[in-house]
C-alpha cells in the first residue's frame, strides 16, 4: 500500500512538472506574441510618469486605457524629476532606445525640469536654454563627475536621431498645463519649452502635438476653482482626472496626424475621443509670452496646407516675419487652407486662435476665396451668403449632419472682429489677394464682391483696412503676364515662394506705419 502511494505521489509530481512546463511554454509564447506588437513608448517627467498616489497621476499612467492591448503595447518610461538632460545622463533614454524596434512610436515631452539649476548638490538637472549648440563644462556637484551640459534642443535632437536610427517614429509634445492663473487666463506653457519643441519639430520634420493650448482652453472654460480640484498637490501635478484630460488631448492629437495610427489600435475608450483633425498642420502659437503677437487668420493664400511648401505652394503669412524684420513681436500664422470665414468659425479655429490672444495683440483677417463655394454640399459646405447683410439661411448641413444657420460673409467677419475687440485686440481687415485671372491684359477687377465687402466691414467696425486685392493687382499689372506666371504654383490661386514673398512684402509695407514699426 505504501509503495502504491509513493508511486501515486511521484506520478502527481511528474504531472505537476509537465503542467508547469506547459504553462511556462504558453506564457513564453504569449510573451513572444506581445513582443511582436508595435509599442508606443513615453519619455518624459513626473507629469507623464505612472504613480499609485491618489493625488498625483501622470497622463502616461492612464494612457494605456485608450488602446487595445491586443493590438499595441504602451510602455511608459517617464521618470519624475527628470529633465531632457538627466533622462539621458542617468541612462533612462539608453534603456528605452535599446528596446526600440522598427515602427515603434516614442512620445517625447520634456521642459518642466529643464529650467532647474544646471549645477546643484541636490538636483543638477537644468539644461541650457534654447535649441542652439551652446555648451558648458561643469564639475557636477551631485555626481562628483565632470560633465558637458548642452541646450534643451541638443538633448531633444539626440533623442529624435536615436529613435530614427532604430527606424522608429518620434513625436514631440508641448508641455502639460500648469494651474497658474492671471485673472481669468491660465498660463500657456512654462517658459519657451513648448515653442522650442515646436521649432525642433519643424527643423527635424517631426510630428508635433500641442498639449498646452488645448488643455489651457479646457481649463479656462472650467474656470480656476474647478481646475484647482484637478491639482490637489501643487500647480504642476494633477490627479487621475487631470491625467485623463491630458491623455485624451494627446490621443486626439495622435488621431489628427497624417499618417495617423491604425484605427483598430484604440480601445472603446479611445474610440470615444474626438480627433484633432488639424493636428497634422502643426499650427503655431506665440513663441514668447512676454511679447505681443500679430495673429493671421485666413485661408490657403495665407498659409497653404501644413505651411511646408508642398507642391511649391506658399502663403504670404509664411514670410511676413521675415519681411517685417522685427524681433519684438510674435508672428502667429493660424490660417487654414480650404476654409471660408464661416468654416473658420464653425470649425473652432477662430476660437482656438482667440484663446491665445491677449490685450495689445493684433489680428489680421483675410477671407473670401472660399466663401463663394456652395452653402451646402456633401464635400465641404463652406459657402457664405454674398454681401455684408444680416440675412441668413437655415440648412441641414450635408457634411456634419447637423442643422446650421448660415450667415453672410460680412456677418462672420463682424463676429470675429467684435470678439477680438472685446478682448482689447486690434483688428485689421485685408481684402483677399487676387487670383491670376486676366481680362483685357489686366488682372480682373473686383466690383461687387469680396474685396469691396471686406472694405465695407472694415468701415463698419472702424478697423484699419489693407487692400491687398488692389495693391497686388496693380503690381501684377505692372509686371505683366510673363513675370506673374512665375509667382504662382498652380493655375491661378496659390502662390509660389516668390509670389508669397511679394505678397508678404506688400502686407509688411502697410503694417509698419499702422503698428509704428
Amino acid at each position: 500500500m505504501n509503495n502504491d502511494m509513493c508511486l501515486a505521489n511521484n506520478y502527481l509530481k511528474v504531472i505537476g512538472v509537465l503542467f508547469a512546463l506547459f504553462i511556462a511554454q504558453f506564457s513564453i509564447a504569449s510573451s513572444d506574441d506581445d513582443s511582436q506588437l508595435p509599442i508606443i513608448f513615453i519619455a518624459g517627467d513626473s507629469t507623464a510618469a505612472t504613480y499609485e498616489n491618489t493625488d498625483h497621476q501622470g497622463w502616461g499612467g492612464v494612457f494605456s486605457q485608450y488602446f487595445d492591448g491586443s493590438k499595441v503595447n504602451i510602455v511608459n518610461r517617464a521618470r519624475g524629476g527628470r529633465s531632457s538632460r538627466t533622462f539621458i545622463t542617468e541612462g533612462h533614454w539608453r534603456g528605452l532606445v535599446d528596446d526600440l524596434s522598427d515602427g515603434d512610436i516614442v512620445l517625447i515631452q520634456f521642459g518642466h525640469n529643464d529650467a532647474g539649476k544646471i549645477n546643484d548638490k541636490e538636483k543638477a538637472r537644468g539644461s541650457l536654454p534654447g535649441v542652439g549648440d551652446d555648451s558648458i563644462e561643469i564639475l557636477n556637484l551631485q555626481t562628483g563627475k565632470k560633465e558637458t551640459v548642452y541646450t534643451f534642443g541638443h538633448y531633444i535632437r539626440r533623442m529624435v536621431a536615436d529613435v530614427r536610427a532604430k527606424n522608429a517614429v518620434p513625436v514631440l509634445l508641448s508641455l502639460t498645463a500648469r494651474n497658474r492663473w492671471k485673472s481669468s487666463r491660465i498660463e500657456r506653457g512654462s517658459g519657451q519649452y513648448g515653442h522650442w519643441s515646436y521649432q525642433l519639430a519643424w527643423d527635424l520634420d517631426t510630428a508635433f502635438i500641442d498639449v498646452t493650448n488645448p488643455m489651457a482652453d479646457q481649463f479656462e472654460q472650467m474656470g480656476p476653482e474647478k481646475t484647482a480640484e484637478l491639482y490637489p498637490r501643487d500647480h504642476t501635478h494633477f490627479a487621475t482626472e487631470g491625467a485623463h484630460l491630458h491623455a485624451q488631448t494627446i490621443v486626439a492629437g495622435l488621431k489628427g496626424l497624417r499618417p495617423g495610427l491604425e484605427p483598430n489600435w484604440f480601445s472603446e475608450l479611445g474610440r470615444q475621443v474626438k480627433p484633432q483633425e488639424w493636428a497634422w498642420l502643426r499650427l503655431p502659437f506665440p513663441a514668447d509670452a512676454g511679447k505681443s503677437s500679430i495673429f493671421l487668420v485666413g485661408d490657403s493664400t495665407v498659409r497653404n496646407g501644413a505651411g511646408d511648401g508642398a507642391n511649391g505652394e506658399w502663403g504670404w503669412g509664411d514670410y511676413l516675419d521675415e519681411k517685417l524684420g522685427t524681433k519684438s513681436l510674435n508672428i502667429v500664422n493660424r490660417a487654414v487652407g480650404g476654409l471660408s470665414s464661416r468654416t473658420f468659425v464653425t470649425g473652432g479655429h477662430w476660437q482656438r486662435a482667440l484663446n491665445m490672444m491677449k490685450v495689445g495683440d493684433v489680428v489680421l483677417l483675410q477671407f473670401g476665396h472660399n466663401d463663394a463655394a456652395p452653402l451646402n454640399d456633401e464635400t465641404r459646405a463652406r459657402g457664405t451668403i454674398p454681401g455684408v447683410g444680416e440675412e441668413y439661411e437655415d440648412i441641414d448641413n450635408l457634411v456634419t449632419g447637423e442643422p446650421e444657420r448660415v450667415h453672410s460673409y460680412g456677418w462672420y467677419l463682424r463676429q470675429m472682429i467684435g470678439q477680438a475687440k472685446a478682448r482689447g485686440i486690434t483688428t485689421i481687415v485685408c481684402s483677399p489677394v487676387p487670383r491670376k485671372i486676366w481680362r483685357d491684359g489686366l488682372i480682373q477687377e473686383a466690383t461687387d464682391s469680396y474685396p469691396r465687402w471686406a472694405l465695407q466691414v472694415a468701415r463698419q467696425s472702424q478697423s484699419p483696412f489693407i487692400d491687398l486685392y488692389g495693391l497686388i493687382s496693380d503690381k501684377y499689372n505692372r509686371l505683366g503676364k510673363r513675370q506673374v506666371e512665375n509667382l504662382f504654383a498652380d493655375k491661378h490661386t496659390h502662390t509660389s515662394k516668390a509670389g508669397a514673398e511679394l505678397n508678404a512684402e506688400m502686407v509688411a509695407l502697410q503694417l509698419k506705419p499702422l503698428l509704428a514699426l
Side-chain angles (χ1 to χ4, degrees):
M1 187 69 178
N2 290 337
N3 289 336
D4 289 342
M5 290 185 65
C6 287
L7 288 171
N9 288 335
N10 289 336
Y11 177 75
L12 289 174
K13 288 179 181 179
V14 170
I15 292 296
V17 170
L18 291 173
F19 182 76
L21 288 172
F22 172 78
I23 293 296
Q25 184 178 19
F26 178 81
S27 299
I28 292 170
S30 298
S31 176
D32 288 344
D33 288 343
D34 286 345
S35 69
Q36 299 305 310
L37 294 176
I39 300 175
I40 300 177
F41 288 91
I42 300 169
D45 53 35
S46 57
T47 61
T50 300
Y51 293 93
E52 300 298 329
N53 302 334
T54 57
D55 64 346
H56 178 200
Q57 182 60 273
W59 61 263
V62 300
F63 195 64
S64 63
Q65 297 177 34
Y66 295 86
F67 293 87
D68 183 343
S70 68
K71 304 296 183 182
V72 61
N73 287 326
I74 307 299
V75 177
N76 187 7
R77 295 291 177 81
R79 293 292 182 271
R82 272 58 178 192
S83 63
S84 62
R85 166 191 165 192
T86 53
F87 196 83
I88 290 175
T89 58
E90 292 178 8
H92 305 295
W93 177 249
R94 175 44 54 193
L96 187 157
V97 171
D98 288 344
D99 291 339
L100 279 177
S101 298
D102 284 13
D104 288 344
I105 296 169
V106 186
L107 306 181
I108 302 171
Q109 183 187 60
F110 288 97
H112 280 301
N113 298 314
D114 281 80
K117 293 180 180 179
I118 290 175
N119 206 3
D120 184 74
K121 291 182 179 180
E122 295 183 0
K123 294 181 179 179
R125 60 185 179 179
S127 59
L128 295 178
V131 297
D133 296 321
D134 300 332
S135 65
I136 59 170
E137 302 290 335
I138 67 168
L139 178 61
N140 192 309
L141 296 175
Q142 188 175 8
T143 65
K145 298 178 180 179
K146 291 182 178 180
E147 181 186 357
T148 303
V149 179
Y150 299 94
T151 64
F152 173 76
H154 170 93
Y155 295 111
I156 300 299
R157 280 196 298 271
R158 174 177 167 181
M159 291 182 184
V160 170
D162 287 346
V163 172
R164 285 178 168 163
K166 297 293 289 282
N167 294 318
V169 180
V171 180
L172 301 184
L173 279 61
S174 64
L175 294 174
T176 57
R178 298 198 300 183
N179 183 33
R180 301 184 70 174
W181 295 75
K182 287 185 178 179
S183 186
S184 61
R185 307 301 300 274
I186 197 170
E187 174 191 83
R188 289 178 179 260
S190 174
Q192 291 185 258
Y193 293 98
H195 169 68
W196 290 332
S197 293
Y198 175 81
Q199 184 179 346
L200 289 163
W202 272 100
D203 293 345
L204 303 172
D205 193 20
T206 301
F208 175 81
I209 296 174
D210 182 11
V211 180
T212 309
N213 287 292
M215 289 309 309
D217 290 348
Q218 287 191 57
F219 290 155
E220 286 184 353
Q221 282 189 324
M222 293 169 58
E225 289 186 9
K226 289 187 177 179
T227 301
E229 295 174 3
L230 305 177
Y231 290 80
R233 181 176 174 181
D234 54 37
H235 60 59
T236 300
H237 302 98
F238 32 79
T240 302
E241 185 179 353
H244 274 287
L245 291 177
H246 280 86
Q248 289 163 15
T249 293
I250 295 164
V251 169
L254 287 169
K255 286 186 173 185
L257 297 180
R258 295 185 183 178
L261 303 186
E262 294 293 333
N264 66 354
W265 283 12
F266 296 101
S267 65
E268 178 59 33
L269 187 62
R271 286 192 291 272
Q272 294 174 17
V273 177
K274 187 177 180 180
Q276 290 180 1
E277 301 286 2
W278 62 93
W280 69 278
L281 294 171
R282 291 191 301 196
L283 291 168
F285 44 88
D288 186 343
K291 297 179 181 179
S292 293
S293 301
I294 298 176
F295 284 82
L296 313 178
V297 299
D299 52 38
S300 57
T301 63
V302 184
R303 188 183 196 267
N304 190 274
D308 56 1
N311 301 317
E313 298 173 357
W314 295 90
W316 59 258
D318 296 316
Y319 295 97
L320 184 60
D321 195 359
E322 173 187 321
K323 299 302 179 182
L324 282 175
T326 177
K327 300 295 184 183
S328 61
L329 295 167
N330 302 307
I331 307 299
V332 188
N333 187 359
R334 299 288 298 189
V336 179
L339 301 185
S340 63
S341 60
R342 165 191 165 193
T343 50
F344 195 84
V345 171
T346 58
H349 294 285
W350 167 249
Q351 189 62 54
R352 284 187 286 274
L354 183 64
N355 289 343
M356 298 178 189
M357 300 179 198
K358 62 180 187 293
V359 174
D361 286 348
V362 176
V363 59
L364 275 66
L365 305 94
Q366 187 221 271
F367 291 97
H369 281 289
N370 299 313
D371 282 76
L375 264 65
N376 202 9
D377 60 14
E378 295 180 348
T379 55
R380 294 191 176 184
R382 59 184 177 175
T384 55
I385 296 172
V388 299
E390 294 295 333
E391 58 269 37
Y392 59 83
E393 182 176 332
D394 291 322
I395 67 168
D396 290 321
N397 192 305
L398 295 174
V399 173
T400 66
E402 301 290 334
E404 180 186 357
R405 176 163 290 184
V406 180
H407 300 270
S408 73
Y409 168 74
W411 187 91
Y412 290 105
L413 288 185
R414 286 194 297 272
Q415 292 298 302
M416 290 185 270
I417 290 168
Q419 291 169 9
K421 285 192 169 187
R423 294 197 180 195
I425 296 151
T426 299
T427 57
I428 299 175
V429 180
C430 300
S431 58
V433 296
R435 289 187 171 98
K436 187 188 59 178
I437 300 176
W438 301 90
R439 181 171 295 175
D440 299 327
L442 298 173
I443 292 294
Q444 179 177 296
E445 289 187 20
T447 52
D448 191 20
S449 62
Y450 297 99
R452 181 180 178 86
W453 298 331
L455 172 60
Q456 290 175 343
V457 171
R459 287 174 173 170
Q460 291 171 349
S461 62
Q462 298 182 326
S463 299
F465 178 68
I466 299 178
D467 185 12
L468 291 182
Y469 193 96
L471 290 167
I472 296 171
S473 292
D474 289 345
K475 182 68 173 180
Y476 289 172
N477 291 335
R478 291 194 301 272
L479 290 172
K481 285 186 178 181
R482 181 175 296 179
Q483 291 190 59
V484 170
E485 193 66 31
N486 295 326
L487 302 179
F488 283 80
D490 66 2
K491 185 177 180 180
H492 56 54
T493 302
H494 299 107
T495 48
S496 63
K497 181 176 184 292
E501 287 183 310
L502 183 149
N503 293 348
E505 182 68 34
M506 291 290 187
V507 177
L509 287 173
Q510 300 300 310
L511 267 183
K512 287 179 179 179
L514 287 174
L515 303 179
L517 296 176

